[in-house]
Amino acid sequence: IKQVYKILLKKKRMFFREFFQENSSKLEIIMTFLAILELIKLNRVKVKQERLFGDITVVLKEELRCG
């Protein structure tokens, strides 16, 4: 959770797929997804998906308050 949050503190907004390299394992993807769910629960990030099966955008909540 801390790693995902630290990345978002620097970048503010990312696509979910940008958290991974091409050779990332299923376990890494699942753990990152769970970390993002926990950050949503803690009200630290917001996620949005414009269309079905489209890219998922993860946004740091501080950015949402400012803009």
Side-chain angles (χ1 to χ4, degrees):
I1 296 171
K2 288 180 185 178
Q3 286 178 321
V4 171
Y5 192 64
K6 282 181 183 180
I7 292 169
L8 285 168
L9 283 172
K10 290 180 184 175
K11 296 205 174 191
K12 307 295 184 207
R13 168 186 302 253
M14 294 177 64
F15 290 120
F16 179 70
R17 61 180 158 77
E18 292 178 305
F19 285 97
F20 312 104
Q21 296 178 357
E22 230 178 85
N23 60 348
S24 293
S25 70
K26 287 181 184 180
L27 181 60
E28 287 175 286
I29 296 168
I30 291 167
M31 294 303 292
T32 302
F33 183 74
L34 291 174
I36 291 170
L37 289 178
E38 185 64 23
L39 289 169
I40 293 167
K41 180 178 148 187
L42 295 171
N43 206 29
R44 301 270 174 90
V45 300
K46 182 177 180 177
V47 296
K48 58 183 175 178
Q49 186 178 29
E50 298 293 327
R51 57 189 150 84
L52 191 61
F53 301 111
D55 283 326
I56 297 170
T57 306
V58 183
V59 182
L60 189 64
K61 277 282 188 138
E62 294 171 1
E63 183 182 89
L64 293 174
R65 290 185 194 131
C66 295

